[in-house]
Amino acid sequence: MKNVDQDSKTLIGWRKYPKTRQKDFLSALRNIKKIKGTKQEDNVQAQWYAVLNYCFADYKENKDYATHIEKLLQTDGLMFVRNITVSMNLITEFKSDVSMSKRLEQEKILAQVIYYLKRIEEHIAEGNTLHLEMPNVVLAADVDQVFVINARVLWDYLKLPLGADWEKLNPRYVYDNLEPKILYERLEEDRNINPYVYDVEAKDFDVNDVIGLIADLAVTDDVHNLTKIPVTDANIRGVFDEFSRLVTQGKTKLTSQEQVGMFITALTDHDSFLIKKQYCYTKKRRWNVS
């Protein structure tokens, strides 16, 4: 996942999770799926803790920079890798078996995370005895799905005029009851929140794709800091699925073959590829995606 042309001081160091460990990780998740309720969530958390600690905290190059993931301020886990010029400040949220591919579930999880971010922000302002930094990456996972987003897109939510609701409502209540409404309305309208949801049970799932994405997003303040990712079946599928979802909003009469053709055209003729209302255009062709 590292871009060899980029100064190493601007990258987050990590090591790959070995295939043998991945096999055990996936086997454990399959067994955990038989457990229900909070015990399932706790076991999912333990499996991901092992992965994250191995890849980041226990990596020898991070010896003087990284912390092991820990449940602080009632979060499901915070981890920090403070490099010389950049840092990875990860906040995690784990669930029992939920439908993470559904937009509403993503909004519920992120609403809960936003409330944790508010607690972290207040803790830092009040003296920061735990030596925290504002999270810049979110990892959310259940027994068979996981997504990662840039937490910076959530920072502006901390300015919402929620008044007493910031203190009165706890993060779990926010998740369970879809309140406060102003927060959920804002999340529903936010087009910057479009996570790719990894299917852990997919044949080509590689946990290193998730770890690499975490490391990349940690240093992605803007487009100038984007790093290269490997061309793998999972990554290509992820980009295609996200492209199709954004263009068609999940509703289209186009066949799968037509969608693939449109996707390839967007990649190869991107300078003339335009999206307007229900149509996609190039100089030579037009698609009705509604």
Side-chain angles (χ1 to χ4, degrees):
M1 299 292 288
K2 287 188 177 181
N3 180 352
V4 295
D5 296 324
Q6 193 171 0
D7 189 333
S8 62
K9 292 181 180 179
T10 65
L11 294 170
I12 298 298
W14 61 282
R15 60 176 173 173
K16 287 188 174 183
Y17 208 57
K19 289 184 178 180
T20 52
R21 287 178 179 259
Q22 285 203 58
K23 185 177 179 180
D24 292 340
F25 169 72
L26 296 174
S27 176
L29 289 179
R30 284 193 293 270
N31 290 328
I32 290 169
K33 200 165 187 178
K34 302 171 186 176
I35 306 170
K36 301 301 179 184
T38 56
K39 286 187 177 180
Q40 183 187 92
E41 181 178 323
D42 291 342
N43 280 273
V44 170
Q45 175 182 284
Q47 291 300 317
W48 276 102
Y49 269 31
V51 172
L52 293 166
N53 282 329
Y54 179 93
C55 294
F56 291 113
D58 296 330
Y59 177 46
K60 64 179 181 179
E61 298 297 328
N62 291 337
K63 181 180 178 182
D64 298 323
Y65 305 113
T67 66
H68 285 84
I69 191 165
E70 187 176 357
K71 299 184 76 168
L72 301 171
L73 298 182
Q74 299 182 331
T75 67
D76 277 355
L78 295 173
M79 168 180 269
F80 302 94
V81 180
R82 300 178 175 101
N83 207 330
I84 297 173
T85 58
V86 296
S87 64
M88 183 202 78
N89 310 323
L90 177 69
I91 183 170
T92 59
E93 181 59 35
F94 300 102
K95 297 296 178 190
S96 54
D97 199 3
V98 297
S99 298
M100 285 195 169
S101 56
K102 292 184 177 179
R103 174 75 184 195
L104 179 58
E105 185 61 36
Q106 295 168 13
E107 292 170 6
K108 289 171 63 180
I109 291 170
L110 295 178
Q112 185 175 3
V113 168
I114 287 166
Y115 260 69
Y116 285 128
L117 293 179
K118 189 67 173 179
R119 289 185 174 184
I120 294 168
E121 181 185 58
E122 291 173 347
H123 175 84
I124 292 172
E126 292 169 1
N128 199 14
T129 57
L130 295 175
H131 307 290
L132 306 181
E133 294 182 31
M134 284 301 294
N136 52 26
V137 185
V138 179
L139 177 142
D142 71 353
V143 71
D144 55 14
Q145 293 179 308
V146 58
F147 71 80
V148 179
I149 73 163
N150 191 326
R152 297 176 186 86
V153 302
L154 304 178
W155 288 358
D156 280 347
Y157 284 84
L158 305 181
K159 302 173 185 176
L160 284 177
L162 301 183
D165 281 346
W166 280 123
E167 299 297 330
K168 182 175 67 175
L169 305 181
N170 68 61
R172 182 68 201 198
Y173 179 92
V174 170
Y175 174 85
D176 288 334
N177 295 279
L178 279 70
E179 293 183 14
K181 289 184 179 179
I182 186 174
L183 174 58
Y184 276 93
E185 288 171 357
R186 172 85 174 268
L187 283 167
E188 184 179 10
E189 297 170 355
D190 195 338
R191 296 301 100 189
N192 289 318
I193 297 174
N194 298 294
Y196 174 66
V197 180
Y198 291 87
D199 179 359
V200 175
E201 296 180 338
K203 289 184 178 180
D204 57 354
F205 174 77
D206 186 341
V207 74
N208 291 306
D209 291 339
V210 178
I211 298 301
L213 181 58
I214 292 171
D216 286 346
L217 289 179
V219 298
T220 305
D221 283 317
D222 54 48
V223 294
H224 301 295
N225 286 329
L226 290 174
T227 56
K228 297 177 182 178
I229 62 173
V231 178
T232 65
D233 289 345
N235 286 342
I236 292 173
R237 188 185 69 243
V239 174
F240 170 70
D241 288 348
E242 186 65 10
F243 170 82
S244 295
R245 190 183 66 77
L246 289 173
V247 171
T248 69
Q249 298 297 308
K251 299 177 181 179
T252 183
K253 295 179 181 178
L254 294 177
T255 66
S256 297
Q257 186 172 354
E258 288 172 327
Q259 290 183 61
V260 170
M262 184 171 62
F263 175 62
I264 293 173
T265 301
L267 291 176
T268 58
D269 193 16
H270 55 82
D271 288 338
S272 64
F273 190 85
L274 299 173
I275 301 173
K276 187 176 182 181
K277 294 184 178 179
Q278 76 267 34
Y279 295 103
C280 290
Y281 300 87
T282 66
K283 293 178 180 178
K284 298 180 180 179
R285 187 169 179 183
R286 184 180 76 170
W287 292 267
N288 185 340
V289 298
S290 62

